[in-house]
Amino acid sequence: MHSSEKEYLKHYNIHDYEVPLVSVDVAIFTLLDGKLHVLMVERGEFPQKGRWSLPGGFINQKQDKDLHATALRKLVEKTGVKAPHLEQVITVGNPNRDPRGWSVTSLYMALIPYAPTAEFIDAVVDARWWPVDAALKQTLAFDHADLIAQARERLRAKAGYTALPMYVLNAPFTLTQLQQTYEELLGTQLEKKSFRRKFPVDELLEEVGEGLPESGRGRIAALYRPKKGGDRYTFLRSFGAGEEA
Amino acid sequence: MHSSEKEYLKHYNIHDYEVPLVSVDVAIFTLLDGKLHVLMVERGEFPQKGRWSLPGGFINQKQDKDLHATALRKLVEKTGVKAPHLEQVITVGNPNRDPRGWSVTSLYMALIPYAPTAEFIDAVVDARWWPVDAALKQTLAFDHADLIAQARERLRAKAGYTALPMYVLNAPFTLTQLQQTYEELLGTQLEKKSFRRKFPVDELLEEVGEGLPESGRGRIAALYRPKKGGDRYTFLRSFGAGEEA
DNA sequence: ATTATTATTGGACAAATGCCACTTAATTGG
DNA sequence: CCAATTAAGTGGCATTTGTCCAATAATAAT
């Protein structure tokens, strides 16, 4: 066919082939009023105009140095800030999920405290925080209900053996707030002493003074913020249930 | 722009847009002579003709009902059998990994015992089992060395808290063989009693008689094979090291 | 029979976890 | 100022789980 790689590449044209649509979607989670919320945008264009969807879009071949950069760009466009944690969850592809044809999307999950995003989202962007449960009850664009459920499940699983839940809290926070966040994400109650013994405070948190509990009553609590790089830490023993990943 | 979704879709043509190349690659692992091996194929076409690569290719929009099916098709083409475990590891994309341009690949990992694949691979396919260490020392096609390293790392990590290592063994196997497999994948030695207490034999294995150890000497050992669905099980406590996922 | 080899189990000790009550330090309301 | 109330943080012990090493069981080779 071709005599050399150079020769081959000269004649190669991607539009000679059947190619799928490729997109990136980001499930951006935060904790608001003690409940997990996800950021959604209302679609302004076809297809699925008018339905709520995850922030997402296409690779910009000029701007994005890799797929992760595409996800990061979408995140910053919608929240105004870089989340302390952004990871890929799964890539799904099939002919039915988008009416334009065979399509593939890489789903990312970002964790971010509510406070730094609030003003930007109110003032600048057509986006809104939805409680995850409420979002899943809507009729969402494409297969985004599935995608949210998968990201939610990844977060639940990782809450069992990582410190990721600290990244949805506004710093500084108390250990009690951190425990409540774990309980919300895991869906189970945890025992106070066990939680404090197991969570590696010295490794992962920095103490930044003291403050009163939310109610304004009771003993003052130590306040913490996450140390750098804590998203790479995994516990030897997991919280809560086991089995059935 | 368009008055309805139907109208919009009538004029939509994917080839009006800049699209990346999309492929699927599969790192198929087995255990051979006590060492982890990965299945590689020598590329017969441009680009990267002549170099060793992971089995992989493009989505067949007629045949493949989803992305997972594409990976499964590649797996069966190369090994002749469906592996008892196939999972997506990561999707990478950037403009440099393929000389044809911006490209995205979904990397899958499959685990399979050596025996059922051996005859098919020898007789039918241009593929060869490489020890993982040796494969990584070659100059491989594209970024496949990176991909293998990432799949290898996922397998190492999951060996810590799942029963996946059992899927690279030819059944029936002994508990000692299973322990040695964990040791090979984790890269650490395990204590015999601890291993046997921690591995949930009753839940995940079926006893299928007895047999002599490999050396033909010593006490006969109980033989086991994996029960169905064991790839979804996760341990509450992990083996070996912790920290630094 | 005796020795070598491998599988499997026992048992002592150490570490982690669950449970619940106690102490500490703040606010609130008399 | 003084209880009562609220929430943070700690003590202590029983239970569970893990580690280490040694004993016992079952086979082949000599």
Side-chain angles (χ1 to χ4, degrees), chain A residues 2-5 8-9 12 14-15 17-22 46-48 59 61-62 64-67 88 90-91 93-95 99-100 102 104 106 232-234 236-238 240 242-245, chain B residues 2-5 8-9 12 14-15 17-22 46-48 59 61-62 64-67 88 90-91 93-95 99-100 102 104 106 232-234 236-238 240 242-245:
Chain A
H2 296 284
S3 56
S4 71
E5 177 138 345
Y8 163 83
L9 289 171
Y12 177 82
I14 192 171
H15 291 117
Y17 300 89
E18 224 176 25
V19 290
L21 203 60
V22 181
F46 294 115
Q48 308 265 2
I59 297 163
Q61 298 198 5
K62 306 280 179 298
D64 300 336
K65 77 172 209 295
D66 58 23
L67 201 60
Q88 191 182 106
I90 192 76
T91 300
N94 65 59
R100 288 168 287 194
W102 233 103
V104 171
S106 266
R232 299 167 53 83
Y233 193 93
T234 63
L236 278 78
R237 296 149 205 276
S238 49
E243 186 159 357
E244 295 303 309
Chain B
H2 296 285
S3 56
S4 72
E5 176 138 347
Y8 162 83
L9 288 172
Y12 176 82
I14 191 170
H15 290 118
Y17 301 89
E18 223 177 24
V19 291
L21 203 59
V22 181
F46 294 115
Q48 307 265 5
I59 297 163
Q61 298 198 3
K62 305 281 179 300
D64 301 335
K65 77 172 208 297
D66 58 24
L67 201 60
Q88 191 183 106
I90 192 76
T91 300
N94 65 58
R100 288 168 288 192
W102 233 105
V104 171
S106 266
R232 299 167 52 82
Y233 193 95
T234 62
L236 279 80
R237 295 147 209 278
S238 51
E243 187 160 356
E244 295 303 309

Side-chain angles (χ1 to χ4, degrees), chain A residues 65-78:
Chain A
K65 77 172 209 295
D66 58 23
L67 201 60
H68 195 269
T70 307
L72 188 59
R73 179 168 54 81
K74 287 290 155 192
L75 170 68
V76 174
E77 282 173 9
K78 295 302 174 191

Side-chain angles (χ1 to χ4, degrees), chain B residues 2 6 8 10 13 17 35 63 71 76 79 99 138 143 176 178 188 196 208 233-234:
Chain B
H2 296 285
K6 200 170 161 188
Y8 162 83
K10 200 159 67 185
N13 181 346
Y17 301 89
K35 291 285 173 190
Q63 273 183 256
V76 173
T79 65
Q138 295 274 320
D143 55 358
T176 300
L178 183 60
T188 61
R196 282 157 188 256
V208 290
Y233 193 95
T234 62

Side-chain angles (χ1 to χ4, degrees), chain B residues 165-185:
Chain B
M166 68 186 180
Y167 294 115
V168 298
L169 279 177
N170 293 304
F173 50 79
T174 68
L175 290 182
T176 300
Q177 289 175 314
L178 183 60
Q179 179 178 340
Q180 287 166 346
T181 305
Y182 271 91
E183 290 170 341
E184 159 72 7
L185 296 187

